[in-house]
PDB file of all heavy atoms in Angstrom:
ATOM      1  N   VAL B  27     -21.185  60.610 -68.346  1.00 96.00           N
ATOM      2  CA  VAL B  27     -20.723  60.175 -69.659  1.00 96.00           C
ATOM      3  C   VAL B  27     -21.439  61.021 -70.702  1.00 96.00           C
ATOM      4  O   VAL B  27     -22.655  61.197 -70.641  1.00 96.00           O
ATOM      5  CB  VAL B  27     -21.019  58.674 -69.907  1.00 96.00           C
ATOM      6  CG1 VAL B  27     -20.514  58.261 -71.278  1.00 96.00           C
ATOM      7  CG2 VAL B  27     -20.371  57.811 -68.829  1.00 96.00           C
ATOM      8  N   THR B  28     -20.676  61.564 -71.625  1.00 95.00           N
ATOM      9  CA  THR B  28     -21.280  62.343 -72.703  1.00 95.00           C
ATOM     10  C   THR B  28     -20.633  61.951 -74.017  1.00 95.00           C
ATOM     11  O   THR B  28     -19.604  61.282 -74.049  1.00 95.00           O
ATOM     12  CB  THR B  28     -21.136  63.850 -72.437  1.00 95.00           C
ATOM     13  OG1 THR B  28     -21.945  64.571 -73.377  1.00 95.00           O
ATOM     14  CG2 THR B  28     -19.691  64.310 -72.596  1.00 95.00           C
ATOM     15  N   GLN B  29     -21.260  62.398 -75.081  1.00 96.00           N
ATOM     16  CA  GLN B  29     -20.709  62.114 -76.403  1.00 96.00           C
ATOM     17  C   GLN B  29     -19.911  63.301 -76.881  1.00 96.00           C
ATOM     18  O   GLN B  29     -20.154  64.457 -76.498  1.00 96.00           O
ATOM     19  CB  GLN B  29     -21.843  61.816 -77.384  1.00 96.00           C
ATOM     20  CG  GLN B  29     -22.528  60.483 -77.108  1.00 96.00           C
ATOM     21  CD  GLN B  29     -23.630  60.203 -78.110  1.00 96.00           C
ATOM     22  OE1 GLN B  29     -24.300  61.129 -78.592  1.00 96.00           O
ATOM     23  NE2 GLN B  29     -23.832  58.932 -78.422  1.00 96.00           N
ATOM     24  N   PHE B  30     -18.978  63.021 -77.747  1.00 96.00           N
ATOM     25  CA  PHE B  30     -18.168  64.060 -78.354  1.00 96.00           C
ATOM     26  C   PHE B  30     -19.073  65.144 -78.933  1.00 96.00           C
ATOM     27  O   PHE B  30     -19.963  64.870 -79.721  1.00 96.00           O
ATOM     28  CB  PHE B  30     -17.307  63.414 -79.465  1.00 96.00           C
ATOM     29  CG  PHE B  30     -16.368  64.363 -80.137  1.00 96.00           C
ATOM     30  CD1 PHE B  30     -15.066  64.487 -79.698  1.00 96.00           C
ATOM     31  CD2 PHE B  30     -16.782  65.132 -81.227  1.00 96.00           C
ATOM     32  CE1 PHE B  30     -14.183  65.348 -80.319  1.00 96.00           C
ATOM     33  CE2 PHE B  30     -15.917  65.999 -81.847  1.00 96.00           C
ATOM     34  CZ  PHE B  30     -14.619  66.102 -81.392  1.00 96.00           C
ATOM     35  N   GLY B  31     -18.853  66.384 -78.507  1.00 96.00           N
ATOM     36  CA  GLY B  31     -19.624  67.497 -79.044  1.00 96.00           C
ATOM     37  C   GLY B  31     -20.957  67.749 -78.381  1.00 96.00           C
ATOM     38  O   GLY B  31     -21.606  68.772 -78.658  1.00 96.00           O
ATOM     39  N   LYS B  32     -21.402  66.874 -77.492  1.00 97.00           N
ATOM     40  CA  LYS B  32     -22.709  67.056 -76.863  1.00 97.00           C
ATOM     41  C   LYS B  32     -22.552  67.853 -75.576  1.00 97.00           C
ATOM     42  O   LYS B  32     -21.843  67.426 -74.654  1.00 97.00           O
ATOM     43  CB  LYS B  32     -23.340  65.702 -76.562  1.00 97.00           C
ATOM     44  CG  LYS B  32     -24.739  65.800 -76.018  1.00 97.00           C
ATOM     45  CD  LYS B  32     -25.383  64.436 -75.881  1.00 97.00           C
ATOM     46  CE  LYS B  32     -26.797  64.556 -75.334  1.00 97.00           C
ATOM     47  NZ  LYS B  32     -27.428  63.240 -75.150  1.00 97.00           N
ATOM     48  N   PRO B  33     -23.249  68.987 -75.452  1.00 96.00           N
ATOM     49  CA  PRO B  33     -23.088  69.842 -74.256  1.00 96.00           C
ATOM     50  C   PRO B  33     -23.397  69.076 -72.977  1.00 96.00           C
ATOM     51  O   PRO B  33     -24.289  68.223 -72.935  1.00 96.00           O
ATOM     52  CB  PRO B  33     -24.099  70.962 -74.474  1.00 96.00           C
ATOM     53  CG  PRO B  33     -24.338  70.993 -75.944  1.00 96.00           C
ATOM     54  CD  PRO B  33     -24.195  69.582 -76.423  1.00 96.00           C
ATOM     55  N   VAL B  34     -22.664  69.414 -71.943  1.00 97.00           N
ATOM     56  CA  VAL B  34     -22.864  68.766 -70.656  1.00 97.00           C
ATOM     57  C   VAL B  34     -22.726  69.818 -69.550  1.00 97.00           C
ATOM     58  O   VAL B  34     -21.961  70.783 -69.690  1.00 97.00           O
ATOM     59  CB  VAL B  34     -21.850  67.610 -70.472  1.00 97.00           C
ATOM     60  CG1 VAL B  34     -20.425  68.125 -70.370  1.00 97.00           C
ATOM     61  CG2 VAL B  34     -22.203  66.755 -69.269  1.00 97.00           C
ATOM     62  N   THR B  35     -23.494  69.637 -68.486  1.00 97.00           N
ATOM     63  CA  THR B  35     -23.446  70.542 -67.334  1.00 97.00           C
ATOM     64  C   THR B  35     -23.160  69.744 -66.077  1.00 97.00           C
ATOM     65  O   THR B  35     -23.818  68.733 -65.812  1.00 97.00           O
ATOM     66  CB  THR B  35     -24.774  71.305 -67.170  1.00 97.00           C
ATOM     67  OG1 THR B  35     -24.953  72.179 -68.283  1.00 97.00           O
ATOM     68  CG2 THR B  35     -24.752  72.132 -65.886  1.00 97.00           C
ATOM     69  N   LEU B  36     -22.181  70.212 -65.323  1.00 97.00           N
ATOM     70  CA  LEU B  36     -21.866  69.625 -64.030  1.00 97.00           C
ATOM     71  C   LEU B  36     -22.298  70.611 -62.952  1.00 97.00           C
ATOM     72  O   LEU B  36     -22.173  71.828 -63.134  1.00 97.00           O
ATOM     73  CB  LEU B  36     -20.365  69.351 -63.905  1.00 97.00           C
ATOM     74  CG  LEU B  36     -19.722  68.576 -65.068  1.00 97.00           C
ATOM     75  CD1 LEU B  36     -18.234  68.355 -64.780  1.00 97.00           C
ATOM     76  CD2 LEU B  36     -20.435  67.280 -65.334  1.00 97.00           C
ATOM     77  N   SER B  37     -22.784  70.085 -61.834  1.00 97.00           N
ATOM     78  CA  SER B  37     -23.290  70.991 -60.811  1.00 97.00           C
ATOM     79  C   SER B  37     -22.554  70.830 -59.488  1.00 97.00           C
ATOM     80  O   SER B  37     -22.005  69.769 -59.182  1.00 97.00           O
ATOM     81  CB  SER B  37     -24.786  70.788 -60.605  1.00 97.00           C
ATOM     82  OG  SER B  37     -25.011  69.586 -59.917  1.00 97.00           O
ATOM     83  N   CYS B  38     -22.565  71.904 -58.743  1.00 97.00           N
ATOM     84  CA  CYS B  38     -21.923  71.958 -57.432  1.00 97.00           C
ATOM     85  C   CYS B  38     -22.803  72.777 -56.509  1.00 97.00           C
ATOM     86  O   CYS B  38     -23.299  73.839 -56.905  1.00 97.00           O
ATOM     87  CB  CYS B  38     -20.540  72.593 -57.554  1.00 97.00           C
ATOM     88  SG  CYS B  38     -19.686  72.801 -55.976  1.00 97.00           S
ATOM     89  N   SER B  39     -22.992  72.291 -55.303  1.00 97.00           N
ATOM     90  CA  SER B  39     -23.718  73.075 -54.307  1.00 97.00           C
ATOM     91  C   SER B  39     -22.954  73.036 -53.000  1.00 97.00           C
ATOM     92  O   SER B  39     -22.192  72.099 -52.735  1.00 97.00           O
ATOM     93  CB  SER B  39     -25.144  72.547 -54.119  1.00 97.00           C
ATOM     94  OG  SER B  39     -25.120  71.223 -53.626  1.00 97.00           O
ATOM     95  N   GLN B  40     -23.150  74.061 -52.180  1.00 96.00           N
ATOM     96  CA  GLN B  40     -22.429  74.128 -50.908  1.00 96.00           C
ATOM     97  C   GLN B  40     -23.365  74.630 -49.814  1.00 96.00           C
ATOM     98  O   GLN B  40     -24.243  75.450 -50.053  1.00 96.00           O
ATOM     99  CB  GLN B  40     -21.208  75.064 -51.039  1.00 96.00           C
ATOM    100  CG  GLN B  40     -21.548  76.452 -51.561  1.00 96.00           C
ATOM    101  CD  GLN B  40     -21.016  77.575 -50.722  1.00 96.00           C
ATOM    102  OE1 GLN B  40     -20.667  77.404 -49.558  1.00 96.00           O
ATOM    103  NE2 GLN B  40     -20.956  78.779 -51.305  1.00 96.00           N
ATOM    104  N   THR B  41     -23.126  74.087 -48.626  1.00 94.00           N
ATOM    105  CA  THR B  41     -23.915  74.523 -47.468  1.00 94.00           C
ATOM    106  C   THR B  41     -23.055  75.323 -46.501  1.00 94.00           C
ATOM    107  O   THR B  41     -23.439  75.555 -45.361  1.00 94.00           O
ATOM    108  CB  THR B  41     -24.510  73.300 -46.737  1.00 94.00           C
ATOM    109  OG1 THR B  41     -23.437  72.454 -46.303  1.00 94.00           O
ATOM    110  CG2 THR B  41     -25.439  72.512 -47.653  1.00 94.00           C
ATOM    111  N   LEU B  42     -21.861  75.739 -46.960  1.00 91.00           N
ATOM    112  CA  LEU B  42     -20.914  76.451 -46.105  1.00 91.00           C
ATOM    113  C   LEU B  42     -21.131  77.964 -46.125  1.00 91.00           C
ATOM    114  O   LEU B  42     -20.503  78.687 -45.363  1.00 91.00           O
ATOM    115  CB  LEU B  42     -19.484  76.136 -46.559  1.00 91.00           C
ATOM    116  CG  LEU B  42     -19.087  74.654 -46.446  1.00 91.00           C
ATOM    117  CD1 LEU B  42     -17.945  74.327 -47.393  1.00 91.00           C
ATOM    118  CD2 LEU B  42     -18.705  74.327 -45.027  1.00 91.00           C
ATOM    119  N   ASN B  43     -21.978  78.413 -47.057  1.00 90.00           N
ATOM    120  CA  ASN B  43     -22.231  79.845 -47.223  1.00 90.00           C
ATOM    121  C   ASN B  43     -20.941  80.614 -47.541  1.00 90.00           C
ATOM    122  O   ASN B  43     -20.762  81.755 -47.101  1.00 90.00           O
ATOM    123  CB  ASN B  43     -22.905  80.432 -45.972  1.00 90.00           C
ATOM    124  CG  ASN B  43     -23.676  81.709 -46.292  1.00 90.00           C
ATOM    125  OD1 ASN B  43     -24.224  81.862 -47.378  1.00 90.00           O
ATOM    126  ND2 ASN B  43     -23.700  82.628 -45.353  1.00 90.00           N
TER     127      ASN B  43
END
Side-chain angles (χ1 to χ4, degrees):
Chain B
V27 180
T28 190
Q29 290 181 327
F30 183 94
K32 185 174 180 182
V34 66
T35 294
L36 310 181
S37 73
C38 177
S39 63
Q40 54 129 341
T41 60
L42 298 157
N43 203 33

